[in-house]
Amino acid sequence: MKSFASYIFCLVGIFFCVPLHSQTKDDTKIWNLEDCFQYAAKHNLDINTLKLNEQSSVQDLSAAKGSKIPSLSASANNIFNNSKNNASGSGDYTRQLSSSGTYWVNSSLVLWNGNYINNNIHQKDLLTKSANLSIVQSTNNSILQITQSYLTVLLAKENLKYVTDLVATTEALVKKSQLLYDAGSIARTNLLQLQAQLSSDNYLKVQSENTIRQNILALKQLLQLPSETVFDIVTPTSLEIVNLVPELKMVQQNAADNFPNVKIGMMGLDIASLGIEKAKAGFKPTLAANAAIGTGYYDILSNNTLPSTPYLNQTSNNFYQSLGFNLAIPIFSNRINRTNLEKAKIGYSQANITLDNDKLMLSQEVEQAYLNTTNAQQAYAAANEQLNAVTEIYRIGNAQFKLGGIDSFTLLQQRNQYIQAVQAFTQAKYTAILQQKIYEFYNGIKITF
């Protein structure tokens, strides 16, 4: 009976535990690099703010276009008056209640204002396009940041991989040394040195695991994922380093043609130029057309001594139409127009400087990426040669130690050199990959792993 109850208890435990485990596993987001890019494009707060700015610019453009169509407004007014009136002329005042109303429809249209409306529409259109390019620019910056953070996680994971292999190798050496010590072939000091090294390797493994968690958290925060999200990334099967580096001048030209940085500056110059034309319109006459139709009525509601005209007859008789033109010629505006023009010219000069700065900054960024790529590839090649040489020395040292040719102290020295070489190679590898991807991105190549 007791064993049957234990069996039921185990089944109930499995029933409740399995769904919990499955839920935790299913809730874990394991993304590749493209998943990260797509999520950031949709949810990044800075990018979404720029999207709202673009929507606001679209509304400004619609309002500017609306200036080319006539305005239309309607008004209705009705007044009730209660007063004493000597309508009969007898000298006796009688209180009367009267009602009067007016109804109007007005329309106006600007016919000419120094081409201000067309220039304003063109300017608002450029501002909308510039806002869209700002989104692209922010997205590009996000892509580069995510790529760097993603590779940092991959670097930490590869470090953990070789540290784990290192721990396994040290454990094997400790076991071998224990056998040699038991057989009286080595001193106890040699065994203790290897045991101490194993403890150090295990500590390094824990540090590597913590580094992975910290780097994943940094990427998660960069993506602005909710804190409760369980997140991890996909490790690519292979990461290749291309030795051929494209020519600097060609990449600089491609970046200038494809990146929004320079285009934004050029649009800013055009926007400022249109600002000057709009300011000049302040010195020119404005011609507008105005049209209106309206009607009205008047009626005494109480104590009326005169014949009343029906409501519809009054509104028909009082129907009124008007069409007119208004020409406004600016003569003196307290220097407001002159100030606006001078400030617009200053804005044009500032936009010109901004454009030159954008071109310079982008050119320098590409040149820095080129230098970083070539330096990283040279460092990677040197680190690879160093690793191959140290690996062979360490392999020979392991074989000599097993045969009793060297002591544990000499082996640990060779081992430390091997660890440093592996660390330098791994760092150089991922640095070369990162710089290569950044330089390719400036050349118009999409970042993929």
Side-chain angles (χ1 to χ4, degrees):
M1 186 67 179
K2 183 177 180 181
S3 60
F4 178 78
S6 301
Y7 175 77
I8 295 298
F9 180 80
C10 290
L11 286 179
V12 172
I14 293 173
F15 176 80
F16 282 103
C17 290
V18 169
L20 290 174
H21 175 74
S22 301
Q23 184 180 3
T24 302
K25 183 177 180 180
D26 293 340
D27 288 345
T28 302
K29 296 181 181 298
I30 302 178
W31 290 354
N32 57 28
L33 186 62
E34 183 62 26
D35 294 331
C36 296
F37 291 160
Q38 292 179 2
Y39 183 87
K42 292 180 180 179
H43 299 89
N44 184 275
L45 297 180
D46 294 334
I47 294 176
N48 286 334
T49 299
L50 293 174
K51 289 180 179 178
L52 292 176
N53 291 340
E54 182 193 21
Q55 294 176 17
S56 180
S57 299
V58 171
Q59 295 304 315
D60 291 338
L61 175 59
S62 299
K65 290 180 178 179
S67 300
K68 300 193 74 172
I69 61 177
S71 65
L72 184 64
S73 62
S75 64
N77 181 36
N78 198 92
I79 300 175
F80 294 92
N81 288 318
N82 185 27
S83 63
K84 290 182 178 182
N85 188 11
N86 186 17
S88 62
S90 61
D92 295 330
Y93 284 85
T94 304
R95 186 172 293 280
Q96 290 181 333
L97 177 63
S98 64
S99 174
S100 62
T102 55
Y103 312 101
W104 287 91
V105 176
N106 299 278
S107 178
S108 64
L109 174 65
V110 176
L111 301 177
W112 172 253
N113 64 342
N115 211 29
Y116 179 93
I117 292 178
N118 290 331
N119 287 328
N120 189 45
I121 291 174
H122 191 192
Q123 187 183 55
K124 293 298 188 289
D125 182 56
L126 289 177
L127 285 169
T128 301
K129 293 177 180 178
S130 179
N132 180 265
L133 289 176
S134 295
I135 297 174
V136 177
Q137 185 180 40
S138 182
T139 302
N140 287 344
N141 294 336
S142 176
I143 287 174
L144 293 177
Q145 291 174 354
I146 291 172
T147 301
Q148 183 173 359
S149 184
Y150 197 98
L151 283 171
T152 302
V153 176
L154 293 180
L155 170 61
K157 287 191 172 186
E158 186 157 333
N159 282 334
L160 176 62
K161 183 178 179 181
Y162 91 78
V163 168
T164 302
D165 293 339
L166 204 62
V167 170
T169 302
T170 308
E171 287 177 345
L173 287 174
V174 170
K175 291 180 180 179
K176 177 66 177 179
S177 299
Q178 184 68 52
L179 294 175
L180 293 174
Y181 173 73
D182 293 340
S185 300
I186 61 173
R188 187 168 181 269
T189 304
N190 293 335
L191 176 60
L192 292 175
Q193 286 177 339
L194 290 174
Q195 289 175 341
Q197 187 60 55
L198 178 59
S199 299
S200 177
D201 291 347
N202 283 322
Y203 177 72
L204 183 60
K205 181 180 178 182
V206 172
Q207 283 186 317
S208 300
E209 292 170 345
N210 291 338
T211 301
I212 291 176
R213 286 190 286 266
Q214 288 292 336
N215 292 338
I216 289 178
L217 177 61
L219 177 58
K220 176 181 171 181
Q221 291 175 343
L222 181 61
L223 293 172
Q224 298 173 351
L225 286 168
S227 58
E228 64 272 11
T229 303
V230 183
F231 175 75
D232 201 355
I233 66 172
V234 176
T235 301
T237 54
S238 63
L239 293 172
E240 297 182 358
I241 298 177
V242 181
N243 293 325
L244 181 62
V245 180
E247 183 184 3
L248 174 60
K249 292 296 183 182
M250 180 188 71
V251 178
Q252 285 177 326
Q253 185 60 49
N254 290 338
D257 294 339
N258 299 322
F259 267 59
N261 307 47
V262 176
K263 294 179 181 178
I264 291 175
M266 295 177 66
M267 283 188 179
L269 193 63
D270 292 338
I271 291 169
S273 177
L274 289 169
I276 293 177
E277 297 302 318
K278 287 170 60 178
K280 288 180 179 179
F283 295 93
K284 300 176 181 179
T286 299
L287 178 63
N290 301 285
I293 57 174
T295 187
Y297 85 99
Y298 175 79
D299 192 17
I300 298 176
L301 303 179
S302 65
N303 298 320
N304 188 10
T305 60
L306 299 174
S308 297
T309 302
Y311 175 83
L312 293 180
N313 290 345
Q314 285 195 59
T315 55
S316 176
N317 294 334
N318 295 330
F319 186 62
Y320 175 85
Q321 310 92 38
S322 69
L323 176 64
F325 297 91
N326 179 41
L327 179 63
I329 303 175
I331 298 176
F332 182 67
S333 62
N334 303 103
R335 210 183 183 279
I336 294 176
N337 291 333
R338 175 60 59 184
T339 300
N340 291 338
L341 178 59
E342 294 303 321
K343 291 180 69 175
K345 291 179 178 179
I346 293 172
Y348 182 83
S349 299
Q350 291 174 333
N352 218 334
I353 293 174
T354 300
L355 175 59
D356 291 340
N357 183 66
D358 291 339
K359 290 180 179 178
L360 178 62
M361 291 296 294
L362 182 60
S363 176
Q364 290 178 345
E365 288 175 8
V366 177
E367 185 177 8
Q368 185 64 57
Y370 172 80
L371 182 61
N372 291 343
T373 301
T374 54
N375 290 345
Q377 289 192 354
Q378 292 174 3
Y380 171 75
N384 189 32
E385 292 180 3
Q386 180 188 25
L387 178 61
N388 291 335
V390 173
T391 300
E392 182 63 17
I393 293 173
Y394 185 48
R395 185 190 66 79
I396 295 173
N398 270 290
Q400 290 176 333
F401 178 76
K402 292 177 181 179
L403 297 175
I406 60 174
D407 58 12
S408 60
F409 178 77
T410 303
L411 178 64
L412 290 177
Q413 284 184 322
Q414 296 177 357
R415 180 181 175 281
N416 290 335
Q417 292 177 351
Y418 170 75
I419 293 174
Q420 292 173 1
V422 171
Q423 289 176 335
F425 171 78
T426 307
Q427 183 67 49
K429 171 185 173 183
Y430 280 93
T431 300
I433 293 172
L434 174 62
Q435 299 305 327
Q436 170 189 316
K437 294 297 181 182
I438 292 176
Y439 191 58
E440 289 177 348
F441 188 64
Y442 281 117
N443 199 27
I445 301 175
K446 184 179 179 180
I447 296 179
T448 57
F449 292 152

